[in-house]
Coordinates of all heavy atoms in Angstrom, one line a residue:
H1 N 0.9 -1.2 0.0 CA 0.0 0.0 0.0 C 0.8 1.2 0.0 O 0.5 2.2 -0.6 CB -0.9 0.0 1.2 CG -2.1 -1.0 1.0 ND1 -3.3 -0.7 1.1 CD2 -2.0 -2.4 0.8 CE1 -4.1 -1.7 1.0 NE2 -3.2 -2.9 0.8
A2 N 2.0 1.3 0.9 CA 2.8 2.5 0.8 C 3.4 2.7 -0.6 O 3.5 3.9 -0.9 CB 3.9 2.2 1.8
I3 N 3.8 1.7 -1.3 CA 4.3 1.9 -2.6 C 3.3 2.5 -3.5 O 3.7 3.5 -4.3 CB 4.9 0.6 -3.2 CG1 6.0 0.1 -2.4 CG2 5.3 0.7 -4.6 CD1 6.5 -1.4 -2.7
M4 N 2.2 2.0 -3.5 CA 1.1 2.6 -4.3 C 0.9 4.2 -4.0 O 0.8 4.9 -4.9 CB -0.3 1.9 -4.1 CG -1.3 2.3 -5.0 SD -2.7 1.3 -5.1 CE -3.3 1.3 -3.4
L5 N 1.0 4.5 -2.7 CA 0.8 6.0 -2.4 C 1.9 6.8 -2.9 O 1.7 7.8 -3.4 CB 0.6 6.0 -0.9 CG -0.7 5.5 -0.2 CD1 -0.6 5.6 1.3 CD2 -1.9 6.2 -0.8
I6 N 3.1 6.3 -2.7 CA 4.2 6.9 -3.2 C 4.3 7.2 -4.7 O 4.4 8.2 -5.3 CB 5.6 6.3 -2.7 CG1 5.7 6.5 -1.3 CG2 6.8 6.9 -3.5 CD1 6.8 5.6 -0.7
T7 N 3.9 6.0 -5.5 CA 3.7 6.2 -6.8 C 2.8 7.1 -7.3 O 2.9 7.9 -8.2 CB 3.4 4.8 -7.5 OG1 4.4 3.8 -7.0 CG2 3.3 4.7 -9.0
H8 N 1.6 7.1 -6.6 CA 0.5 8.0 -6.9 C 1.0 9.4 -6.7 O 0.7 10.4 -7.6 CB -0.7 7.7 -6.1 CG -1.8 8.7 -6.2 ND1 -2.6 8.8 -7.4 CD2 -2.3 9.7 -5.4 CE1 -3.4 9.8 -7.3 NE2 -3.3 10.4 -6.1
W9 N 1.8 9.7 -5.7 CA 2.2 11.1 -5.4 C 3.1 11.4 -6.5 O 3.2 12.6 -7.0 CB 2.9 11.1 -4.0 CG 3.4 12.5 -3.7 CD1 4.7 12.9 -3.7 CD2 2.6 13.6 -3.3 NE1 4.8 14.2 -3.4 CE2 3.6 14.6 -3.1 CE3 1.3 13.8 -3.0 CZ2 3.1 15.9 -2.7 CZ3 0.9 15.1 -2.6 CH2 1.7 16.1 -2.4
R10 N 4.1 10.7 -6.9 CA 5.0 11.0 -8.0 C 4.2 11.3 -9.3 O 4.5 12.2 -10.0 CB 6.0 9.9 -8.2 CG 7.1 9.9 -7.1 CD 8.1 8.9 -7.4 NE 9.0 8.9 -6.1 CZ 9.7 7.8 -5.8 NH1 9.6 6.7 -6.4 NH2 10.5 7.8 -4.7
A11 N 3.2 10.4 -9.6 CA 2.4 10.7 -10.8 C 1.7 12.0 -10.7 O 1.6 12.7 -11.7 CB 1.3 9.6 -11.0
F12 N 1.3 12.5 -9.4 CA 0.6 13.7 -9.4 C 1.5 14.8 -9.6 O 1.1 15.9 -10.2 CB 0.0 13.8 -8.0 CG -0.7 15.0 -7.8 CD1 -2.1 15.2 -8.4 CD2 -0.3 16.2 -7.0 CE1 -2.8 16.5 -8.2 CE2 -1.0 17.3 -6.7 CZ -2.2 17.5 -7.3
D13 N 2.8 14.7 -9.2 CA 3.8 15.8 -9.5 C 4.0 16.0 -11.0 O 4.6 17.0 -11.4 CB 5.2 15.3 -8.8 CG 5.1 15.6 -7.3 OD1 4.1 16.3 -6.9 OD2 6.0 15.1 -6.6
M14 N 3.7 15.0 -11.8 CA 3.9 15.1 -13.2 C 2.7 15.6 -13.9 O 2.7 15.7 -15.1 CB 4.4 13.7 -13.7 CG 5.6 13.2 -13.1 SD 6.2 11.4 -13.4 CE 5.3 11.0 -14.9
L15 N 1.7 15.9 -13.2 CA 0.5 16.4 -13.9 C 0.2 17.9 -13.5 O 0.5 18.3 -12.5 CB -0.8 15.6 -13.4 CG -0.7 14.1 -13.7 CD1 -2.0 13.5 -13.2 CD2 -0.7 13.9 -15.3
E16 N -0.4 18.6 -14.5 CA -0.8 20.0 -14.3 C -2.3 19.9 -14.4 O -2.9 19.5 -15.4 CB -0.2 20.9 -15.3 CG -0.5 22.4 -15.0 CD 0.3 23.3 -16.0 OE1 1.3 22.9 -16.3 OE2 -0.4 24.2 -16.4
I17 N -3.0 20.5 -13.4 CA -4.5 20.5 -13.4 C -4.9 21.9 -13.4 O -4.6 22.7 -12.6 CB -5.0 19.7 -12.2 CG1 -4.6 18.3 -12.2 CG2 -6.6 19.8 -12.2 CD1 -4.9 17.5 -10.9
N18 N -5.7 22.4 -14.4 CA -6.3 23.7 -14.5 C -7.7 23.6 -14.6 O -8.3 22.6 -15.0 CB -5.7 24.3 -15.9 CG -4.3 24.6 -15.6 OD1 -3.9 25.5 -14.9 ND2 -3.4 24.0 -16.4
L19 N -8.4 24.7 -14.2 CA -9.9 24.9 -14.3 C -10.3 25.6 -15.5 O -9.7 26.6 -15.9 CB -10.3 25.6 -13.1 CG -10.0 25.0 -11.6 CD1 -10.4 25.9 -10.5 CD2 -10.8 23.7 -11.6
R20 N -11.3 25.2 -16.1 CA -12.0 25.9 -17.2 C -13.2 26.7 -16.8 O -14.0 27.1 -17.7 CB -12.4 24.9 -18.2 CG -11.4 24.0 -18.9 CD -11.9 23.2 -20.0 NE -12.7 23.9 -21.0 CZ -14.0 23.8 -21.3 NH1 -14.6 22.7 -20.8 NH2 -14.5 24.4 -22.2
V21 N -13.4 27.0 -15.5 CA -14.6 27.7 -15.1 C -14.7 29.0 -15.7 O -15.8 29.3 -16.3 CB -14.6 27.8 -13.5 CG1 -15.7 28.7 -13.0 CG2 -14.6 26.5 -12.8
G22 N -13.7 29.8 -15.8 CA -13.7 31.1 -16.4 C -14.1 31.1 -17.9 O -15.0 31.9 -18.4
E23 N -13.5 30.1 -18.6 CA -13.9 29.9 -20.0 C -15.4 29.5 -20.1 O -16.1 30.1 -21.0 CB -13.0 28.8 -20.6 CG -13.2 28.4 -22.0 CD -12.5 27.2 -22.4 OE1 -11.4 26.9 -21.7 OE2 -12.9 26.6 -23.3
I24 N -15.8 28.7 -19.3 CA -17.3 28.3 -19.4 C -18.2 29.4 -19.0 O -19.2 29.6 -19.7 CB -17.5 27.0 -18.6 CG1 -16.7 25.9 -19.1 CG2 -19.0 26.6 -18.4 CD1 -16.6 24.6 -18.1
V25 N -17.9 30.2 -17.9 CA -18.6 31.4 -17.6 C -18.7 32.3 -18.7 O -19.8 32.8 -19.0 CB -18.1 32.0 -16.3 CG1 -18.6 33.4 -16.1 CG2 -18.3 31.1 -15.1
S26 N -17.7 32.5 -19.4 CA -17.6 33.5 -20.6 C -18.5 33.0 -21.7 O -19.3 33.7 -22.4 CB -16.3 33.7 -21.1 OG -15.5 34.5 -20.2
Q27 N -18.4 31.6 -22.0 CA -19.2 31.0 -23.0 C -20.6 31.2 -22.8 O -21.5 31.3 -23.7 CB -18.9 29.6 -23.2 CG -17.5 29.3 -23.8 CD -17.2 27.7 -23.8 OE1 -17.9 27.0 -23.2 NE2 -16.1 27.5 -24.4
R28 N -21.0 31.2 -21.5 CA -22.4 31.4 -21.1 C -22.9 32.8 -20.9 O -24.0 33.1 -20.6 CB -22.6 30.7 -19.7 CG -22.2 29.3 -19.6 CD -23.4 28.3 -20.0 NE -23.3 27.0 -19.6 CZ -22.4 26.1 -20.2 NH1 -21.6 26.4 -21.2 NH2 -22.3 24.8 -19.7
K29 N -21.9 33.6 -21.4 CA -22.2 35.2 -21.3 C -22.6 35.6 -20.0 O -23.6 36.5 -19.8 CB -23.2 35.6 -22.3 CG -22.9 35.0 -23.8 CD -22.6 36.2 -24.7 CE -22.5 35.7 -26.1 NZ -21.3 35.1 -26.6
M30 N -22.0 35.0 -18.9 CA -22.3 35.4 -17.5 C -21.1 36.2 -17.0 O -20.0 36.2 -17.4 CB -22.3 34.1 -16.7 CG -23.4 33.1 -17.0 SD -23.2 31.6 -16.2 CE -23.5 32.1 -14.5
T31 N -21.5 37.1 -16.0 CA -20.4 37.8 -15.3 C -20.0 36.9 -14.2 O -20.8 36.0 -13.7 CB -20.9 39.2 -14.7 OG1 -22.1 39.0 -13.8 CG2 -21.5 40.1 -15.9
V32 N -19.0 37.4 -13.5 CA -18.5 36.6 -12.2 C -19.6 36.7 -11.3 O -19.9 35.8 -10.4 CB -17.2 37.2 -11.8 CG1 -16.7 36.5 -10.5 CG2 -16.0 36.9 -12.8
S33 N -20.2 38.0 -11.1 CA -21.3 38.1 -10.1 C -22.5 37.2 -10.4 O -23.0 36.6 -9.5 CB -21.7 39.6 -10.1 OG -20.8 40.5 -9.7
D34 N -22.9 37.1 -11.7 CA -23.9 36.2 -12.1 C -23.5 34.7 -11.6 O -24.4 34.0 -11.0 CB -24.2 36.2 -13.5 CG -24.8 37.4 -14.1 OD1 -25.4 38.2 -13.4 OD2 -24.5 37.7 -15.3
F35 N -22.3 34.4 -11.9 CA -21.9 32.9 -11.6 C -21.9 32.8 -10.1 O -22.4 31.7 -9.6 CB -20.5 32.7 -12.2 CG -19.8 31.5 -11.7 CD1 -20.4 30.3 -11.8 CD2 -18.6 31.6 -11.1 CE1 -19.7 29.2 -11.4 CE2 -18.0 30.6 -10.6 CZ -18.6 29.3 -10.7
A36 N -21.4 33.8 -9.3 CA -21.4 33.6 -7.9 C -22.7 33.5 -7.3 O -23.0 32.6 -6.5 CB -20.5 34.8 -7.3
E37 N -23.6 34.3 -7.7 CA -25.0 34.2 -7.3 C -25.6 32.9 -7.6 O -26.3 32.2 -6.8 CB -25.9 35.3 -8.0 CG -27.2 35.4 -7.4 CD -28.0 36.6 -8.0 OE1 -27.4 37.7 -8.3 OE2 -29.3 36.5 -8.1
R38 N -25.4 32.4 -8.9 CA -26.0 31.1 -9.3 C -25.5 30.0 -8.5 O -26.2 29.1 -8.2 CB -25.8 31.0 -10.8 CG -26.7 30.0 -11.4 CD -26.5 30.0 -13.0 NE -27.3 30.8 -13.7 CZ -27.4 30.8 -14.9 NH1 -26.8 29.9 -15.8 NH2 -28.3 31.6 -15.6
A39 N -24.1 30.0 -8.3 CA -23.4 28.9 -7.6 C -23.6 29.0 -6.0 O -23.1 28.1 -5.3 CB -22.1 28.8 -8.0
K40 N -24.1 30.1 -5.6 CA -24.2 30.5 -4.2 C -22.8 30.4 -3.5 O -22.6 29.9 -2.4 CB -25.1 29.4 -3.4 CG -26.6 29.6 -4.0 CD -27.5 28.6 -3.3 CE -28.9 28.7 -3.6 NZ -29.3 28.1 -4.9
L41 N -21.9 31.1 -4.3 CA -20.5 31.3 -3.8 C -20.2 32.8 -3.5 O -20.9 33.6 -4.2 CB -19.5 30.8 -4.8 CG -19.6 29.4 -5.2 CD1 -18.7 29.1 -6.5 CD2 -19.2 28.5 -4.1
N42 N -19.3 33.0 -2.5 CA -19.0 34.5 -2.5 C -18.2 35.0 -3.7 O -17.6 34.1 -4.5 CB -18.3 34.7 -1.1 CG -16.9 34.2 -1.1 OD1 -16.1 34.4 -2.0 ND2 -16.6 33.5 0.0
Y43 N -18.3 36.2 -3.9 CA -17.6 36.7 -5.1 C -16.2 36.3 -5.3 O -15.7 36.0 -6.4 CB -17.7 38.3 -5.2 CG -17.2 38.9 -6.4 CD1 -18.0 39.0 -7.6 CD2 -15.9 39.2 -6.5 CE1 -17.4 39.5 -8.8 CE2 -15.3 39.8 -7.6 CZ -16.1 39.9 -8.7 OH -15.6 40.4 -10.0
K44 N -15.4 36.5 -4.2 CA -14.0 36.2 -4.2 C -13.6 34.7 -4.6 O -12.9 34.5 -5.5 CB -13.2 36.4 -2.9 CG -11.7 36.0 -2.9 CD -10.9 36.9 -2.2 CE -9.5 36.4 -2.0 NZ -8.9 36.0 -3.2
T45 N -14.5 33.8 -4.1 CA -14.3 32.4 -4.5 C -14.6 32.2 -6.0 O -13.9 31.5 -6.7 CB -15.2 31.5 -3.6 OG1 -14.8 31.6 -2.3 CG2 -15.1 30.0 -4.0
A46 N -15.8 32.8 -6.4 CA -16.1 32.7 -7.8 C -15.1 33.3 -8.8 O -14.6 32.7 -9.8 CB -17.5 33.4 -8.1
A47 N -14.5 34.5 -8.3 CA -13.5 35.1 -9.2 C -12.3 34.2 -9.2 O -11.5 34.1 -10.2 CB -13.2 36.4 -8.6
D48 N -11.8 33.8 -8.1 CA -10.6 32.8 -8.0 C -10.8 31.6 -8.9 O -9.8 31.2 -9.7 CB -10.3 32.5 -6.5 CG -9.8 33.6 -5.7 OD1 -9.3 34.5 -6.3 OD2 -9.6 33.3 -4.5
L49 N -12.0 31.0 -8.8 CA -12.2 29.8 -9.7 C -12.1 30.2 -11.2 O -11.6 29.5 -12.0 CB -13.6 29.3 -9.4 CG -13.7 28.5 -8.1 CD1 -15.2 28.2 -7.8 CD2 -13.0 27.3 -8.1
C50 N -12.7 31.5 -11.5 CA -12.7 31.9 -12.9 C -11.3 32.2 -13.4 O -11.0 32.0 -14.6 CB -13.6 33.1 -13.1 SG -15.4 32.7 -13.0
K51 N -10.5 32.6 -12.5 CA -9.0 32.9 -12.9 C -8.1 31.8 -12.7 O -6.8 32.0 -12.6 CB -8.7 34.2 -12.2 CG -9.5 35.4 -12.7 CD -9.0 36.7 -11.9 CE -9.9 37.8 -12.5 NZ -9.7 39.1 -11.9
N52 N -8.6 30.6 -12.3 CA -7.8 29.5 -12.1 C -6.8 29.7 -10.9 O -5.6 29.3 -11.0 CB -7.0 29.1 -13.4 CG -6.5 27.6 -13.2 OD1 -7.1 26.8 -12.6 ND2 -5.3 27.4 -13.9
R53 N -7.2 30.4 -9.8 CA -6.4 30.7 -8.8 C -6.7 29.8 -7.5 O -6.4 30.3 -6.4 CB -6.4 32.2 -8.4 CG -5.9 33.2 -9.4 CD -5.7 34.5 -9.0 NE -7.1 35.0 -8.5 CZ -7.6 36.3 -8.7 NH1 -6.7 37.1 -9.3 NH2 -8.7 36.6 -8.3
R54 N -7.2 28.7 -7.7 CA -7.5 27.8 -6.6 C -6.6 26.6 -6.7 O -6.4 26.0 -7.7 CB -9.0 27.4 -6.6 CG -10.0 28.5 -6.5 CD -9.9 29.2 -5.2 NE -10.4 28.4 -4.2 CZ -11.3 28.8 -3.3 NH1 -11.5 30.1 -3.2 NH2 -11.7 28.1 -2.2
D55 N -6.0 26.2 -5.5 CA -5.3 25.0 -5.4 C -6.1 23.9 -5.0 O -5.9 22.7 -5.3 CB -4.1 25.1 -4.4 CG -3.0 25.9 -4.9 OD1 -2.8 26.1 -6.1 OD2 -2.3 26.6 -4.0
R56 N -7.2 24.1 -4.3 CA -8.1 23.1 -3.8 C -9.5 23.5 -4.0 O -9.9 24.7 -3.9 CB -7.9 22.8 -2.3 CG -6.5 22.4 -2.0 CD -6.4 22.0 -0.4 NE -5.1 21.4 -0.2 CZ -4.1 21.9 0.5 NH1 -4.3 23.1 1.0 NH2 -3.0 21.4 0.6
V57 N -10.3 22.6 -4.4 CA -11.8 22.8 -4.6 C -12.5 21.7 -3.8 O -12.3 20.5 -4.0 CB -12.1 22.8 -6.1 CG1 -13.6 23.1 -6.2 CG2 -11.3 23.8 -6.8
S58 N -13.4 22.1 -2.8 CA -14.1 21.1 -2.1 C -15.1 20.4 -3.0 O -15.5 21.0 -4.1 CB -14.8 21.7 -0.9 OG -15.8 22.6 -1.3
L59 N -15.6 19.3 -2.6 CA -16.7 18.6 -3.3 C -17.9 19.4 -3.3 O -18.7 19.4 -4.4 CB -16.8 17.2 -2.8 CG -15.7 16.2 -2.9 CD1 -16.0 14.8 -2.3 CD2 -15.4 16.1 -4.5
A60 N -18.2 20.1 -2.3 CA -19.4 21.0 -2.2 C -19.3 22.1 -3.2 O -20.3 22.4 -3.9 CB -19.7 21.4 -0.8
T61 N -18.2 22.8 -3.4 CA -18.0 23.8 -4.3 C -18.0 23.2 -5.7 O -18.6 23.9 -6.6 CB -16.6 24.5 -4.1 OG1 -16.7 25.1 -2.8 CG2 -16.4 25.6 -5.1
L62 N -17.4 22.1 -6.0 CA -17.4 21.5 -7.2 C -18.9 21.2 -7.7 O -19.3 21.5 -8.8 CB -16.6 20.2 -7.2 CG -16.6 19.4 -8.5 CD1 -16.0 20.2 -9.6 CD2 -15.8 18.1 -8.3
A63 N -19.7 20.7 -6.8 CA -21.1 20.4 -7.1 C -21.8 21.6 -7.3 O -22.7 21.7 -8.3 CB -21.8 19.6 -5.9
A64 N -21.5 22.7 -6.6 CA -22.2 24.0 -6.8 C -22.0 24.6 -8.1 O -22.7 25.1 -9.0 CB -21.9 25.0 -5.7
V65 N -20.6 24.5 -8.6 CA -20.2 24.9 -9.9 C -20.8 24.2 -11.0 O -21.3 24.8 -12.0 CB -18.6 24.9 -9.9 CG1 -18.0 25.1 -11.4 CG2 -18.0 25.9 -9.0
C66 N -20.7 22.9 -10.9 CA -21.3 22.0 -11.9 C -22.9 22.3 -12.1 O -23.3 22.4 -13.2 CB -21.2 20.5 -11.6 SG -19.4 20.0 -11.8
E67 N -23.5 22.4 -11.0 CA -25.0 22.8 -11.2 C -25.2 24.1 -11.6 O -26.1 24.3 -12.5 CB -25.7 22.7 -9.6 CG -27.1 22.8 -9.6 CD -27.8 22.6 -8.4 OE1 -27.2 21.8 -7.6 OE2 -28.8 23.1 -8.1
A68 N -24.5 25.1 -11.3 CA -24.7 26.4 -11.8 C -24.4 26.6 -13.2 O -25.0 27.3 -14.1 CB -23.8 27.5 -11.0
L69 N -23.3 25.8 -13.7 CA -22.9 25.9 -15.2 C -23.6 24.8 -15.9 O -23.3 24.8 -17.2 CB -21.5 25.9 -15.2 CG -20.8 27.1 -14.5 CD1 -19.2 26.9 -14.7 CD2 -21.2 28.4 -15.1
D70 N -24.3 23.9 -15.3 CA -25.0 22.7 -16.1 C -23.8 21.9 -16.8 O -24.0 21.7 -18.0 CB -26.0 23.3 -17.0 CG -26.9 22.0 -17.5 OD1 -26.9 21.1 -16.8 OD2 -27.3 22.1 -18.6
V71 N -22.8 21.6 -16.0 CA -21.7 20.8 -16.6 C -21.4 19.6 -15.7 O -21.9 19.6 -14.5 CB -20.4 21.7 -16.8 CG1 -20.6 22.7 -17.8 CG2 -19.9 22.2 -15.5
L72 N -20.5 18.8 -16.1 CA -20.1 17.7 -15.3 C -18.6 18.0 -14.8 O -18.0 18.8 -15.5 CB -20.0 16.3 -16.1 CG -21.4 15.8 -16.5 CD1 -21.2 14.7 -17.5 CD2 -22.2 15.5 -15.4
P73 N -18.2 17.3 -13.8 CA -16.8 17.6 -13.2 C -15.7 17.6 -14.4 O -14.8 18.4 -14.5 CB -16.6 16.6 -12.1 CG -17.9 16.4 -11.6 CD -18.8 16.4 -12.8
Q74 N -15.9 16.5 -15.2 CA -14.8 16.4 -16.2 C -14.9 17.5 -17.3 O -13.8 17.7 -18.0 CB -14.9 15.0 -17.0 CG -16.2 14.8 -17.7 CD -17.2 13.9 -16.9 OE1 -17.2 14.1 -15.6 NE2 -18.0 13.2 -17.5
D75 N -15.9 18.3 -17.2 CA -15.9 19.5 -18.2 C -15.2 20.6 -17.6 O -14.8 21.6 -18.3 CB -17.4 19.9 -18.4 CG -18.2 18.8 -19.1 OD1 -17.7 18.0 -19.9 OD2 -19.5 18.7 -18.8
I76 N -14.9 20.6 -16.3 CA -14.3 21.7 -15.6 C -12.7 21.7 -15.6 O -12.0 22.6 -15.6 CB -14.8 21.9 -14.2 CG1 -16.3 22.3 -14.4 CG2 -14.0 22.8 -13.4 CD1 -17.0 22.3 -13.0
F77 N -12.2 20.5 -15.5 CA -10.8 20.2 -15.4 C -10.1 19.9 -16.6 O -10.7 19.1 -17.4 CB -10.5 19.0 -14.4 CG -11.0 19.3 -13.0 CD1 -12.2 18.7 -12.6 CD2 -10.3 20.1 -12.1 CE1 -12.8 18.9 -11.3 CE2 -10.8 20.3 -10.8 CZ -12.1 19.8 -10.4
V78 N -8.9 20.5 -16.8 CA -8.0 20.2 -17.9 C -6.7 19.6 -17.2 O -6.1 20.2 -16.5 CB -7.7 21.3 -18.7 CG1 -6.7 21.1 -19.8 CG2 -8.9 22.0 -19.4
V79 N -6.5 18.3 -17.5 CA -5.3 17.7 -16.9 C -4.2 17.4 -18.1 O -4.6 16.7 -19.1 CB -5.7 16.4 -16.3 CG1 -4.5 15.7 -15.7 CG2 -6.7 16.6 -15.2
T80 N -3.1 17.9 -17.9 CA -2.0 17.7 -18.8 C -0.7 17.3 -18.1 O -0.6 17.6 -16.9 CB -1.7 19.0 -19.6 OG1 -1.4 20.0 -18.7 CG2 -2.8 19.4 -20.5
K81 N 0.1 16.5 -18.9 CA 1.4 16.0 -18.3 C 2.4 17.2 -18.3 O 2.4 18.0 -19.3 CB 2.0 14.9 -19.0 CG 1.2 13.6 -18.8 CD 1.9 12.4 -19.4 CE 1.2 11.1 -19.2 NZ 1.9 10.0 -19.7
K82 N 3.1 17.3 -17.2 CA 4.2 18.3 -17.2 C 5.3 17.8 -18.0 O 5.6 16.6 -18.0 CB 4.7 18.6 -15.8 CG 3.6 19.3 -15.0 CD 4.2 19.6 -13.6 CE 3.2 20.3 -12.7 NZ 3.6 20.4 -11.2
D83 N 6.1 18.7 -18.6 CA 7.3 18.3 -19.4 C 8.5 18.1 -18.5 O 8.6 18.5 -17.5 CB 7.7 19.4 -20.5 CG 6.6 19.4 -21.5 OD1 6.0 18.5 -21.8 OD2 6.5 20.6 -22.1

């Protein structure tokens, strides 16, 4: 089990995970304020999500974002390998 955890950690270091929230909000022709209100998030959290400035997103926030934007979690994340 310890080897699997270490391997998983090393694999994570090789990935870059970005959010597409801002892109999706723009596509929906919404403002950050509209998005924040719809997702029931405070403005700063909504703005940080839109600008990809979050290191962690709780499951509750993820669910609120998905519901507000009518998307699935996989629509929000872009995962790429680091060089």
